[in-house]
Amino acid sequence: MTTTTRATRGVPVPHGVEYHRVLVGEKRRVGRGILAIALLLAGLFGSGAVLYEVGVWIDGLIRPDGDVGPGLTPVTQTLSLLSVALMIPWSMLIQRWLYGVRGASLHSVISSFRFDLFGRVLLILVPLFFIATAIHEYSRPFGTVHWSPTDVIGVLLASVLLVPLQATGEEYGFRGLVFRVAASWGRGRVTSLLLGIGVSTAVFSVIHFASDPWWNVFYVAVSTVTAYVTWRTGGIEIAAIIHSAINLSTFMFWIALNADLAERFDRSPGGVTPGLMIPVLVILLGVTVVVWFRTRRTGPVLTPSGPSATGSDGRTPVEVSGASAV
């Protein structure tokens, strides 16, 4: 009976630990962790390749002239974004399969998505990142191409609906699963944290295949800040907002400006200057400072201490502190 219940419910989340240390056990299980990361990347690139080919096939049926407009179509944009969004369930499945811990624990230390925290921070950060992107675009005009009304409407709709899911998928994969897996290789709290941030940042940066040093600085900065915020607030919510706001504001301006996407996706040396990244980096620094200031006395939000730690309102102290972390 006990064995059946355990297999059904999975390994319980340990009490009173930081978000990234949920998978820490008596053994480091480095080989299992490498397998988890390999499976995550295989799913990411495998689904991307398959859905891209499906998109090309569909476009061949509806665009017999072979015109792909600005470099992508509403179909390929939709399927490429969906392929990354699939990292959300895929990360949860890998964690449950290899570690026995319920996939829902990737949301936060209370194993659920904290919409109250998400909503408050969303209203603050999204406008700031749109302003930063506007400064970036104004500072250095890029090339343009012809976008048909169909491409504008279709890509815009796909982007608004799916870019947040695409960006959130990356957060669950890298600031969720990879962060935890790498952190489980360390014994001490500091070692665990440094391993988690370092490995997740390295993997996230490498998969973008940028040869321009400043693009890599940008990826390292985004990954480090979102991992830090996930650690301090005990969940993925704010990291998802940061990543979604950056990606969505970028696509919105590209569409509005009829951007040449071949030029915009170029990550070779000289593709960007450090000055263009300053507005976004300033916001990331500001987010880091605010999160540290708001959690400086309580420390990082932890998983609940147990059933006895429930207050009169039905919430545990960690739920209260998690909701007011920022």
Side-chain angles (χ1 to χ4, degrees), residues 94-107:
I94 292 172
Q95 178 178 271
R96 180 59 184 264
W97 178 38
L98 293 182
Y99 293 90
V101 179
R102 292 178 59 219
S105 71
L106 283 174
H107 295 310

Side-chain angles (χ1 to χ4, degrees), residues 101-124:
V101 179
R102 292 178 59 219
S105 71
L106 283 174
H107 295 310
S108 71
V109 290
I110 60 172
S111 296
S112 63
F113 196 88
R114 297 168 296 181
F115 285 100
D116 50 352
L117 173 63
F118 178 82
R120 291 199 308 273
V121 178
L122 180 74
L123 294 175
I124 298 171

Side-chain angles (χ1 to χ4, degrees), residues 106-181:
L106 283 174
H107 295 310
S108 71
V109 290
I110 60 172
S111 296
S112 63
F113 196 88
R114 297 168 296 181
F115 285 100
D116 50 352
L117 173 63
F118 178 82
R120 291 199 308 273
V121 178
L122 180 74
L123 294 175
I124 298 171
L125 287 185
V126 170
L128 290 178
F129 279 110
F130 266 81
I131 292 171
T133 305
I135 295 172
H136 178 120
E137 295 293 336
Y138 182 79
S139 300
R140 180 181 173 182
F142 288 85
T144 61
V145 296
H146 173 69
W147 286 55
S148 71
T150 300
D151 288 330
V152 170
I153 295 171
V155 175
L156 177 63
L157 185 61
S159 299
V160 170
L161 294 177
L162 297 176
V163 163
L165 286 176
Q166 169 259 332
T168 301
E170 291 192 47
E171 292 308 308
Y172 275 84
F174 298 108
R175 259 62 68 182
L177 183 65
V178 177
F179 188 22
R180 280 184 170 178
V181 164

Side-chain angles (χ1 to χ4, degrees), residues 135-268:
I135 295 172
H136 178 120
E137 295 293 336
Y138 182 79
S139 300
R140 180 181 173 182
F142 288 85
T144 61
V145 296
H146 173 69
W147 286 55
S148 71
T150 300
D151 288 330
V152 170
I153 295 171
V155 175
L156 177 63
L157 185 61
S159 299
V160 170
L161 294 177
L162 297 176
V163 163
L165 286 176
Q166 169 259 332
T168 301
E170 291 192 47
E171 292 308 308
Y172 275 84
F174 298 108
R175 259 62 68 182
L177 183 65
V178 177
F179 188 22
R180 280 184 170 178
V181 164
S184 72
W185 300 339
R187 293 300 189 195
R189 291 178 64 251
V190 175
T191 303
S192 180
L193 179 63
L194 292 178
L195 276 171
I197 293 178
V199 173
S200 62
T201 296
V203 175
F204 179 75
S205 301
V206 168
I207 65 155
H208 284 86
F209 303 108
S211 56
D212 182 278
W214 291 110
W215 271 118
N216 283 304
V217 167
F218 175 76
Y219 293 133
V220 168
V222 170
S223 186
T224 302
V225 170
T226 49
Y228 173 83
V229 169
T230 298
W231 165 53
R232 297 296 293 186
T233 63
I236 216 77
E237 299 90 352
I238 297 178
I241 293 172
I242 292 172
H243 200 153
S244 298
I246 292 173
N247 286 10
L248 183 58
S249 61
T250 298
F251 270 108
M252 294 287 280
F253 274 98
W254 287 0
I255 296 166
L257 296 172
N258 290 334
D260 180 355
L261 297 185
E263 180 183 11
R264 295 308 184 94
F265 284 118
D266 181 18
R267 297 295 183 263
S268 60

